[in-house]
């Protein structure tokens, strides 16, 4: 189980009521508007502000928190969707991880795979900045080489972001059954992983600039995959 | 003046030597490779690790920090470029602000304007996550209504991100002489500011999802403006 803090995120937990175990409300805010959280449907604990500060990890808790069961996702079902996958190679910053999960959920990614050594996606700051994505988007931790082999066997095309070269991200034709590898903040993508990749993609930018933030780069690339998908399927 | 921490950011300060006032080096790392920071060209202070921890705001300082003069930018020169401007309406999170500045620097934005109430772009965490952008990209704080009037008078087109509607961001034709308004994390764009805007732009996304992270949304939109600009000018 994991902790979910703040109104928006607890609203998301409320929508996934099968995962929601306990809600804590600050007794000072019990009478306030709790948005989509309908308190008549569930048990909750009224706690005082001091206790709320102990429960929460933010300095100024928003007066509502919840304990939520980790969602269980099926690897076979994920592969069955044939949808776009993102593989994060040791992304370490919680804000970046949360922002990436949020973008993936918003922009049609079927699932996110995390290499060993990535930050725990259920840690409080990631949960907070994912804004509910962690409860709704299939995320697989400690993804193994044999799982990557399985994806290759099923016809997944491996692409890799590369700050030093490769094809412009908007000149690439993305098929949905792709896995896009995004490197860590500090070291980019590991050499072993690069060997698995058929195509390298690059975001052309001011040559003076070292690189983009990893969450910004990921957003730009998946927005382009989503744009292409919407145009193909006539949703645009 | 402001504090710059970490190897990459101090390297950027070194490239803008007219701004660089003082370098501090941890005496444990004085013999290490300092990348592009050529110590033979400047005075530096060797300090012990305890003092370094006092100077820096990160928990684990990278062994190098600098005091840097705030760059001075000319409003008239900025307007003279006729380049794309981003206006941030009270962005509050330092990581978001830093990431936005970094994306703007990388993706051809001429300058960033900050509304009153935005986080200080020279605060340590913004500086760190901007990865040198704050020393290279014109940033104007506390931008007034009369400055916005001036932009209108000079022919700038005001566009505004809108999570509730507007034109798909990739169907908009961006002229360089535009100002794109990006709202805050909590409240979006203020009503007064919306009145100034001719066009509203939207990033189509999964309707279940409330919104994207502000830095991710900004990255997606300016990447599209940059893509169009490169195609027009034949740089692509």
């Amino acid at each position: 189980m994991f902790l979910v803090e703040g109104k928006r995120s607890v609203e998301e937990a409320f929508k996934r009521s099968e995962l929601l175990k306990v809600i804590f409300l600050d007794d000072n805010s019990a009478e306030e508007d709790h948005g989509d959280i309908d308190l008549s449907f569930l048990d909750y604990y009224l706690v005082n502000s001091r206790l709320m500060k102990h429960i929460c990890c933010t300095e100024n808790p928003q007066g509502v928190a919840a304990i939520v069961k980790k969602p269980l996702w099926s690897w076979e079902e994920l592969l069955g969707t044939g949808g776009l996958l993102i593989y994060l190679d040791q992304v370490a910053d919680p804000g970046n991880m949360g922002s990436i999960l949020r973008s993936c959920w918003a922009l049609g990614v079927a699932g996110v795979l995390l290499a060993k050594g990535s930050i725990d996606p259920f840690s409080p700051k990631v949960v907070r900045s994912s804004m509910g994505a962690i409860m709704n988007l299939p995320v697989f931790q400690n993804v193994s080489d044999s799982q990557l082999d399985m994806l290759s066997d099923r016809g997944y095309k491996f692409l890799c972001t590369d700050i030093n070269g490769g094809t412009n991200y908007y000149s690439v034709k993305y098929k949905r059954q792709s896995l896009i590898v995004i490197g860590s903040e500090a070291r980019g993508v590991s050499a072993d992983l690069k060997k698995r990749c058929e195509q390298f993609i690059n975001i052309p930018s001011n040559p003076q600039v070292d690189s983009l933030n990893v969450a910004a780069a990921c957003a730009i690339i998946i927005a382009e995959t989503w744009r292409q998908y919407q145009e193909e399927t006539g949703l645009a």
Side-chain angles (χ1 to χ4, degrees), chain A residues 97-106 112 121 126 130 133-134 137 139:
Chain A
M97 177 65 85
S99 171
I100 291 173
L101 297 180
R102 189 174 171 189
S103 297
C104 287
W105 184 34
V112 173
V126 178
S130 89
I134 191 64
L137 175 75
V139 173

Side-chain angles (χ1 to χ4, degrees), chain A residues 151-206:
Chain A
L151 290 171
S152 298
D153 294 346
R154 296 283 191 101
Y156 265 83
K157 177 178 176 182
F158 284 46
L159 300 97
C160 181
T161 51
D162 192 344
I163 55 168
N164 300 314
T167 312
N168 273 350
Y169 73 98
Y170 51 78
S171 307
V172 174
K173 193 86 203 67
Y174 301 92
K175 63 169 198 162
R176 287 313 275 174
Q177 220 183 1
S178 295
L179 176 119
I180 300 178
V181 177
I182 311 269
S184 74
E185 296 90 343
R187 287 172 307 275
V189 177
S190 68
D192 272 0
L193 209 47
K194 277 190 180 166
K195 277 188 214 142
R196 290 182 178 267
C197 296
E198 272 177 62
Q199 190 163 27
F200 293 84
I201 43 183
N202 178 266
I203 300 172
S205 60
N206 177 346

Side-chain angles (χ1 to χ4, degrees), chain A residues 4-105:
Chain A
V4 168
E5 295 174 60
K7 194 173 135 184
R8 276 209 209 166
S9 294
V10 176
E11 278 175 357
E12 280 305 325
F14 186 74
K15 287 185 205 156
R16 303 235 25 206
S17 55
E18 75 284 9
L19 300 177
L20 184 60
K21 301 312 269 181
V22 178
I23 284 196
F24 299 102
L25 275 184
D26 191 315
D27 52 12
N28 284 320
S29 66
E31 303 297 310
E32 278 176 21
D33 171 27
H34 292 290
D36 292 341
I37 310 165
D38 186 344
L39 293 171
S40 59
F41 278 98
L42 62 134
D43 288 331
Y44 57 89
Y45 293 89
L46 282 180
V47 298
N48 65 34
S49 302
R50 245 187 72 216
L51 187 52
M52 201 65 177
K53 273 212 161 184
H54 274 287
I55 293 170
C56 291
C57 301
T58 33
E59 289 225 0
N60 300 303
Q62 287 177 37
V64 55
I67 305 287
V68 177
K69 256 173 70 179
K70 290 185 185 176
L72 282 178
W73 304 104
S74 150
W75 178 252
E76 271 307 316
E77 271 176 34
L78 179 72
L79 267 57
T81 64
L84 182 71
L85 303 178
I86 298 294
Y87 180 92
L88 302 177
D89 192 13
Q90 306 196 342
V91 166
D93 179 84
N96 285 341
M97 177 65 85
S99 171
I100 291 173
L101 297 180
R102 189 174 171 189
S103 297
C104 287
W105 184 34

